[in-house]
Amino acid sequence: MKRFRLIAVAALLTVTAAVAAPATHPLPSFVGLAIADKHRPEEDRALDEQRKPAVVLGYTGIKPGDVVVDLMPGKGYYTRLFSRMVGSKGKVYALQPAEMDKIAPKGLESVRSFAGKEGYANVSVLVEPVNELKLPEPVDVIWTSQNYHDLHDPFMGAPDMAKLDKRLFDALKPGGILIVLDHAAADGTGITKTNDLHRIDPAAVKSELTAVGFQFDGESDALRNPADDHTKGIRDPSIKGNTDRFIYKFRKP
């Protein structure tokens, strides 16, 4: 217990330092506590320096009691954090397209290892064909991190993006938020770099989502990297973990 207290205090100090310079509003206590959560694995904590969860989660506006969707959750880095942020009165749906689960099953294996269990009882896993994504109830926030570009790739079966984005729009409560965090491609490249470089032009994301009714509600530059020239794939050793990443927020009127 003493060791955990020391770890939690250290994590909270790290959180405070991380947001001291850029923050314009105090960091909600539940965000700091989510990052300091004793159930988070060391593998996740090791990613915190690159992912800057204090700043990023503070920007989401997610709060206790919210119903949140982690769309294409990977191994559940953000799923765990959202679970602690929304608390016992909230819910988190880890929603995975069946097409992605087929080529990358280890992600959901990880999420299923903690979903519905101690510390994460409010997490549920959903696996559905990409063209039939649906949720059991209206939600407050849909989040997708470093994967929106994948929806355009051949392995996903070329979904109709207008229909898919409209499904996301319809799944949100009025005033609900969709947040897209992804690797930036060069301006003007549209969706042409999603398959080879695993990047997408931010303007293409904005165009697709506003076309189905979303209102662009701002962006965070917390993960932008002007040193990234957008010519390398995201797994290139020279840029891996430090790509230029944009965070766009969209609102359902």
Side-chain angles (χ1 to χ4, degrees), residues 179-220:
I179 299 176
V180 178
L181 185 166
D182 216 331
H183 308 279
D187 291 347
T189 56
I191 62 172
T192 63
K193 298 299 179 182
T194 64
N195 195 42
D196 57 350
L197 300 184
H198 295 277
R199 297 173 178 267
I200 190 167
D201 182 350
V205 176
K206 186 183 294 186
S207 176
E208 289 183 350
L209 292 171
T210 55
V212 300
F214 280 105
Q215 294 178 347
F216 182 64
D217 200 45
E219 63 183 291
S220 168

Side-chain angles (χ1 to χ4, degrees), residues 22-135:
T24 56
H25 302 286
L27 182 72
S29 60
F30 57 85
V31 175
L33 291 171
I35 297 170
D37 174 27
K38 67 179 181 179
H39 296 289
R40 294 185 72 216
E42 289 304 316
E43 180 183 8
D44 282 13
R45 296 183 192 279
L47 295 172
D48 286 352
E49 184 176 357
Q50 296 174 352
R51 297 191 175 184
K52 302 180 182 178
V55 183
V56 172
L57 295 176
Y59 179 69
T60 66
I62 293 171
K63 61 188 183 300
D66 278 352
V67 179
V68 176
V69 177
D70 191 357
L71 175 60
M72 297 174 285
K75 292 184 177 181
Y77 174 93
Y78 287 107
T79 314
R80 291 179 186 268
L81 292 167
F82 296 152
S83 172
R84 305 303 287 177
M85 288 171 67
V86 303
S88 60
K89 294 183 179 180
K91 297 179 184 178
V92 179
Y93 291 104
L95 177 58
Q96 181 82 307
E99 293 82 354
M100 178 166 279
D101 189 45
K102 182 177 180 180
I103 69 161
K106 290 185 178 180
L108 276 196
E109 288 175 11
S110 173
V111 177
R112 285 194 171 104
S113 73
F114 65 82
K117 299 186 170 82
E118 181 185 1
Y120 305 106
N122 57 3
V123 176
S124 300
V125 176
L126 301 174
V127 182
E128 299 166 349
V130 70
N131 283 313
E132 300 174 23
L133 294 184
K134 58 186 180 299
L135 291 155

